[in-house]
Amino acid sequence: MLTLQKIEAALSISRPIELYLFEHGESKFAYTSGSKSHLHVDALIYSPLALRRGKLQRTNEDYKNRLSVEIPGDSQVPSLFRSTLPSDHVTLKIFRTQRDLKDQFINIFAGEVVGVTWNNSVATLDCCPATALLRRQIMRAGYQSQCNHHLYDARCSLEMQDWQEETTVVSVSNSGYTIELANKAHEDDYYKAGLLSKNGSDFRQINSVVGNKFELMSPIDGLTVGDVVQVAKGCDRSAASCHSFGNFDNFMGFLTIPTDNPFQA
């Protein structure tokens, strides 16, 4: 049986294609550089799309290993970056395979899309390799009275589904920053610093609520009147808010910070 390497070495029978798998939360966007749809071993159908990538490099300097991918500007992945950064990471895996050899492939890149630039109708994705992500410095816990966890993350441990309600959009104004909802079940302060989402995947922080009008940190692309959205209870990361959730066992703040300055007489 011919292997992928042997077929690629035999130029007369080689028909190489590349598969691009973008993942954003539960959403998957599968494309191929080939001219026909491709059913991969992951059971996803990769659709043809005009893609072009830069040169792959393997060095000890992370900035040299970044990969640029050109993609139509109106396709789904660039749209995630239109108004603001996506609410979840957008990862990319690139496989090389043969058009008629679907059970053999090589993973040639794995990383994350960290930025997008547009030039007319073409979007260029700036992709950082997974090796660079492993060396990225992360924020340490702060010595503060507020909780260090993010609301509804794994360390907070709260399930968003237990604290959210579903309603519909009545109006969208202020360039998408202000959303009026059909109804809400709680008082205004209940939702402050909470989350509003569409289809449970595209989340925006709620800055303030007055009546049924919700002010968002940034707009949600494509949100229109009549859409169904979910709104979840907010938290200002104080001990009192944590008690209101019944989640104080997971509170990660410091309530006994000294107020006396030892360097001041």
Side-chain angles (χ1 to χ4, degrees):
M1 179 180 177
L2 292 176
T3 64
L4 183 62
Q5 290 78 8
K6 290 181 179 179
I7 292 177
E8 290 183 340
L11 299 180
S12 61
I13 61 172
S14 179
R15 300 292 186 271
I17 60 172
E18 290 186 347
L19 308 178
Y20 293 72
L21 176 60
F22 296 93
E23 297 183 82
H24 174 238
E26 298 296 323
S27 301
K28 298 179 186 291
F29 310 102
Y31 304 116
T32 175
S33 61
S35 58
K36 297 181 180 180
S37 298
H38 184 93
L39 177 61
H40 193 44
V41 294
D42 56 9
L44 294 175
I45 297 177
Y46 288 70
S47 303
L49 192 68
L51 294 159
R52 185 170 66 176
R53 63 170 176 82
K55 183 180 179 181
L56 290 168
Q57 298 190 84
R58 299 288 188 270
T59 71
N60 291 327
E61 300 177 69
D62 292 333
Y63 74 95
K64 290 184 178 180
N65 298 334
R66 295 172 84 110
L67 180 69
S68 63
V69 178
E70 292 184 357
I71 187 172
D74 59 352
S75 54
Q76 292 172 300
V77 175
S79 297
L80 297 172
F81 293 81
R82 276 291 183 188
S83 59
T84 184
L85 291 176
S87 56
D88 206 344
H89 297 281
V90 179
T91 60
L92 168 62
K93 294 179 183 177
I94 303 178
F95 310 99
R96 187 173 74 244
T97 184
Q98 288 286 324
R99 187 178 303 168
D100 301 318
L101 192 67
K102 298 182 179 181
D103 59 341
Q104 294 191 38
F105 61 92
I106 298 175
N107 189 343
I108 61 175
F109 181 84
E112 179 181 345
V113 181
V114 295
V116 179
T117 56
W118 281 266
N119 183 10
N120 295 325
S121 61
V122 177
T124 301
L125 312 181
D126 183 20
C127 306
C128 187
T131 53
L133 299 176
L134 294 174
R135 287 190 285 268
R136 179 185 294 175
Q137 291 186 350
I138 61 175
M139 186 181 297
R140 298 179 175 87
Y143 185 47
Q144 59 191 33
S145 60
Q146 287 184 308
C147 182
N148 279 276
H149 300 326
H150 291 286
L151 182 61
Y152 303 121
D153 69 4
R155 295 181 183 276
C156 172
S157 82
L158 291 172
E159 293 291 339
M160 186 182 302
Q161 293 79 4
D162 297 336
W163 300 94
Q164 72 180 12
E165 62 203 67
E166 198 167 79
T167 182
T168 56
V169 177
V170 173
S171 68
V172 180
S173 58
N174 190 22
S175 300
Y177 284 89
T178 303
I179 309 298
E180 184 178 0
L181 302 179
N183 57 274
K184 69 182 196 297
H186 302 276
E187 67 281 0
D188 294 351
D189 288 344
Y190 180 90
Y191 306 96
K192 189 174 181 180
L195 296 174
L196 184 145
S197 62
K198 178 184 177 183
N199 300 325
S201 61
D202 202 2
F203 300 94
R204 294 294 186 274
Q205 181 174 306
I206 301 168
N207 288 342
S208 63
V209 180
V210 178
N212 286 352
K213 291 188 176 181
F214 287 64
E215 191 77 19
L216 306 183
M217 178 172 286
S218 60
I220 297 179
D221 283 336
L223 189 67
T224 59
V225 174
D227 283 347
V228 176
V229 296
Q230 299 80 36
V231 286
K233 175 176 166 63
C235 177
D236 61 5
R237 301 189 184 184
S238 66
S241 290
C242 207
H243 278 298
S244 73
F245 284 94
N247 194 40
F248 191 70
D249 287 345
N250 293 313
F251 181 75
M252 184 52 185
F254 300 88
L255 301 180
T256 56
I257 299 176
T259 57
D260 295 334
N261 187 346
F263 301 102
Q264 186 176 20

